[in-house]
């Protein structure tokens, strides 16, 4: 796999759900094998910014020459990216990090909270292509902030909203808790979302005796370089010390994380 | 066939036999131990400065370790490193096979620790020099050496006594008189100084009502500090007799040229390595092009010390 700085042209810009932007870019030629869950560092030219912005590829279609990124506007960098239009050129560094481990034949449950859903279209597609049964559990504040179920063809999609405007009223972790009862063992769980959601999910796993090694988490931490040199993206390791989200992750098994330390100091 | 003017000589001499093929160096903490960042064109580099290395391994600070600020970034990594034995046993033998010198950045929280690290690295094949980090703002006692000329001289002198390697002392800008510290380490046996390390700064998350960096403060780097670093280099180049390595916010060939014109013998690239891995090659080529454009054949012709400026306003 080759990691390179490569230009990519914006082919399409759309709003896949309320508050989010999806940019479809020309696929960087160096990135023929983007693993689901891997990320790119996107250069931004917004005034007074300096660092690249890390984004997981939402999906990747090297044969079709296209790659998609879904994100929301949280600051000047993402606002600049969201303002790109068809024909604009972006500078991508990647693919970086470790994606999800999709080996095996067990059923898979993808648990997505908020913008954490952005990583899953490609993940679900890859799981389905491997002939696996896939359940997608997606949570958002309102129905408008859900990525449509049509983005997960072949999967069994269930949703939860804080305001009850679609699906279960409450947390996506409630959905998981209900579904998980009686299923302990024999499932692979892939998750991405705010830290409070992740820690709630881990609590459920403990209660239902689901081994944490069956859970893979796509972590989001503040990130500098993305290539292991700045040591800025440290996350607490269960064995003590820290691992680097950019190199050891972003997708890591939940038993490798010190969850007590994840509750403090991390962006939700 | 290219004439000399078209192929300027970019070699520089940092003293005690440390000759570099290029004035472009990657700064400590921004290039690991040289094994990552395959995107960077090694041919453009004169040297690599390693991550700050201590006697024993350090796990580093708890997250959050970095934050972006206007045109800059704060970091408080906490000297995460595998310790000098690992560096000497595992990394140095690989460096010995490279055609690119690796300078080990040495950190510690006592004179004894600096001396022990320097002693361990002396004579180790693959280690081309030492850069003494007396200015790391992230470990409390680290600051003290660099802010006091007497302490700075003491640690420099002690390390000088146990190593034959070229010795660069990296100065902190968090002082009232950086020239006084530079003179003191020159007198204590430093072969060169690098200026500057990061400025202490902070950022606060107003929504969560707490500092973004878990330690509260961090070291500020990036374009935001370039004019400050440049002024430090300008002052130092006029006042010390050893080479000054300019570092702080260099992002472009033009930035690097400013430092070289100000009197720096070489430059270090830091934060830009995170953003634009191709910057080292662009800066190398930009310096070469400038030399050609101005009919210069030797890096020593670049400084503009003779230009008169109003030094007091």
């Amino acid at each position: 796999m080759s990691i390179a700085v490569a230009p990519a042209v914006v082919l399409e810009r759309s709003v896949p759900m309320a508050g989010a932007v999806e940019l479809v870019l020309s696929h960087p030629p160096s990135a023929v094998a983007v693993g689901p869950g891997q990320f790119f560092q996107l250069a931004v030219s917004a005034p007074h910014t300096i660092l690249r912005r890390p984004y997981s590829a939402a999906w990747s279609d090297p044969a079709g020459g296209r790659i998609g990124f879904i994100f929301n506007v949280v600051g000047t960098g993402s606002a600049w990216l969201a303002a790109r239009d068809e024909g604009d050129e972006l500078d991508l560094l990647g693919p970086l990090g470790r994606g999800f481990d999709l080996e095996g034949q067990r059923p898979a449950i993808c648990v997505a909270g908020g913008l954490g859903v952005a990583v899953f279209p490609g993940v679900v597609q890859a799981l389905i292509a491997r002939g696996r049964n896939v359940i997608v559990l997606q949570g958002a504040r309102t129905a408008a902030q859900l990525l449509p179920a049509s983005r997960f063809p072949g999967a069994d999609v269930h949703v939860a909203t804080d305001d009850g405007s679609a699906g279960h009223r409450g947390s996506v972790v409630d959905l998981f808790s209900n579904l998980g009862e009686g299923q302990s063992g024999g499932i692979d769980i892939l998750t991405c979302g705010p830290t409070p959601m992740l820690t709630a999910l881990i609590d459920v796993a403990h209660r239902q005796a689901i081994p944490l090694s069956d859970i893979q988490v796509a972590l989001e931490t503040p990130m500098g370089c993305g290539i292991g040199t700045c040591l800025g993206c440290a996350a607490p390791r269960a064995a003590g010390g820290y691992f680097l989200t950019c190199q050891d992750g972003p997708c890591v098994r939940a038993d490798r994380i010190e969850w007590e330390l994840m509750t403090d100091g991390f962006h939700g | 066939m290219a004439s000399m003017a078209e192929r300027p000589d970019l070699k520089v001499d940092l003293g005690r036999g440390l000759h570099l093929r290029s004035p472009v160096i990657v700064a400590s903490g921004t290039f690991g131990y040289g094994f990552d960042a395959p995107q960077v064109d090694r041919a453009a580099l004169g040297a690599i400065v390693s991550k700050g290395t201590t006697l024993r391994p350090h796990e580093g600070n708890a997250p959050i370790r970095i934050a972006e600020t206007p045109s800059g970034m704060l970091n408080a990594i906490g000297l995460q490193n595998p310790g000098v034995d690992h560096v000497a046993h595992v990394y140095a033998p690989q460096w010995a096979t490279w055609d690119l010198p690796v300078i080990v950045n040495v950190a510690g929280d006592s004179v004894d620790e600096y001396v022990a690290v320097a002693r361990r690295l002396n004579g180790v094949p693959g280690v081309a020099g030492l850069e003494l980090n007396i200015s790391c703002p992230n470990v409390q006692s680290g600051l003290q050496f660099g802010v006091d000329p007497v302490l700075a001289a003491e640690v420099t002198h002690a390390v000088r006594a146990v190593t034959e390697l070229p010795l660069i002392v990296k100065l902190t800008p968090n002082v009232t008189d950086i020239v006084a510290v530079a003179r003191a380490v020159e007198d204590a046996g430093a072969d060169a100084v690098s200026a500057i390390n990061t400025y202490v700064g902070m950022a606060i998350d107003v929504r969560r009502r707490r500092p973004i960096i878990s330690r509260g403060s961090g070291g500020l780097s990036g374009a935001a500090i370039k004019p400050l670093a440049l002024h430090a280099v300008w002052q130092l180049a006029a006042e010390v007799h050893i080479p000054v390595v300019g570092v702080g916010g260099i992002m472009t060939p033009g930035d690097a040229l400013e430092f070289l014109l100000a009197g720096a013998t070489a430059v270090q690239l830091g934060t830009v390595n995170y953003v634009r891995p191709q910057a080292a090659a662009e800066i190398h080529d930009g310096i070469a092009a400038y030399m050609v454009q101005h009919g210069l054949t030797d890096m020593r012709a670049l400084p503009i010390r003779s230009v008169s400026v109003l030094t007091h306003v």
Side-chain angles (χ1 to χ4, degrees), chain A residues 3 5 48-53 91 93 222-225 227-232 234 236 240-242 247 265-268, chain B residues 29-30 36-37 39 51 59-66 68-73 77 80 208 210 222-223 251 274-275 277:
Chain A
I3 299 168
V5 178
H48 314 309
T49 59
I50 194 161
L51 297 173
R52 287 171 179 263
R53 268 41 178 180
D91 168 353
L93 173 64
M223 195 169 283
C225 65
I227 55 175
T229 55
C230 81
L231 310 181
Y242 307 96
Q247 278 195 324
F266 265 74
H267 291 299
Chain B
T30 68
D36 299 302
Q39 304 85 3
K51 176 70 182 165
E59 289 178 341
N61 292 335
I64 293 172
R65 294 178 172 185
I66 59 169
E68 189 182 71
T69 55
S71 302
M73 73 175 274
I77 306 302
Q80 179 180 334
R208 291 183 171 81
R210 65 183 184 211
M251 309 295 284
Y274 303 149
V275 190

Side-chain angles (χ1 to χ4, degrees), chain A residues 3-249:
Chain A
I3 299 168
V5 178
V9 177
V10 178
L11 303 175
E12 289 171 30
R13 179 187 179 282
S14 62
V15 176
M17 63 224 200
V21 172
E22 180 166 15
L23 291 181
V24 178
L25 309 179
S26 58
H27 207 291
S30 62
V32 286
V34 180
Q38 283 195 296
F39 71 102
F40 287 80
Q41 285 273 57
L42 275 61
V44 298
S45 296
H48 314 309
T49 59
I50 194 161
L51 297 173
R52 287 171 179 263
R53 268 41 178 180
Y55 289 107
S56 295
W59 52 270
S60 160
D61 174 15
R66 293 149 64 89
I67 187 167
F69 294 90
I70 297 173
F71 56 95
N72 61 354
V73 174
V74 295
T76 50
S78 49
W80 183 88
L81 279 172
R84 296 312 92 196
D85 219 331
E86 289 174 23
D88 288 348
E89 198 167 278
L90 290 176
D91 168 353
L92 270 61
L93 173 64
L96 301 169
R98 296 171 192 267
F100 286 111
D101 177 4
L102 304 182
E103 292 301 314
Q105 285 303 315
R106 309 195 299 185
I109 302 180
C110 300
V111 186
L115 248 293
V117 74
V119 73
F120 283 112
V123 173
V124 171
Q125 186 188 26
L127 288 166
I128 297 285
R130 287 162 181 264
R132 299 180 66 169
N133 290 321
V134 181
I135 296 171
V136 173
L137 307 180
Q138 187 188 175
R141 279 191 219 120
T142 69
Q145 289 160 300
L146 291 165
L147 192 63
S150 60
R151 298 298 299 266
F152 305 107
D156 181 13
V157 181
H158 302 265
V159 301
T161 50
D162 293 347
D163 67 353
S165 53
H168 169 75
R169 178 193 292 268
S171 157
V172 70
V173 177
D174 301 339
L175 286 181
F176 175 74
S177 180
N178 298 338
L179 196 71
E181 286 290 358
Q183 288 209 33
S184 59
I187 50 170
D188 285 323
I189 298 148
L190 294 74
T191 186
C192 184
T195 302
M197 185 214 95
L198 297 177
T199 53
L201 184 75
I202 296 304
D203 287 345
V204 171
H206 283 309
R207 283 203 300 276
Q208 298 188 359
I210 297 169
L212 294 194
S213 56
D214 285 353
I215 303 175
Q216 297 179 59
V217 183
L219 282 177
E220 292 185 75
T221 63
M223 195 169 283
C225 65
I227 55 175
T229 55
C230 81
L231 310 181
C233 61
R237 187 170 55 192
Y242 307 96
F243 59 81
L244 296 181
T245 302
C246 74
Q247 278 195 324
D248 304 308

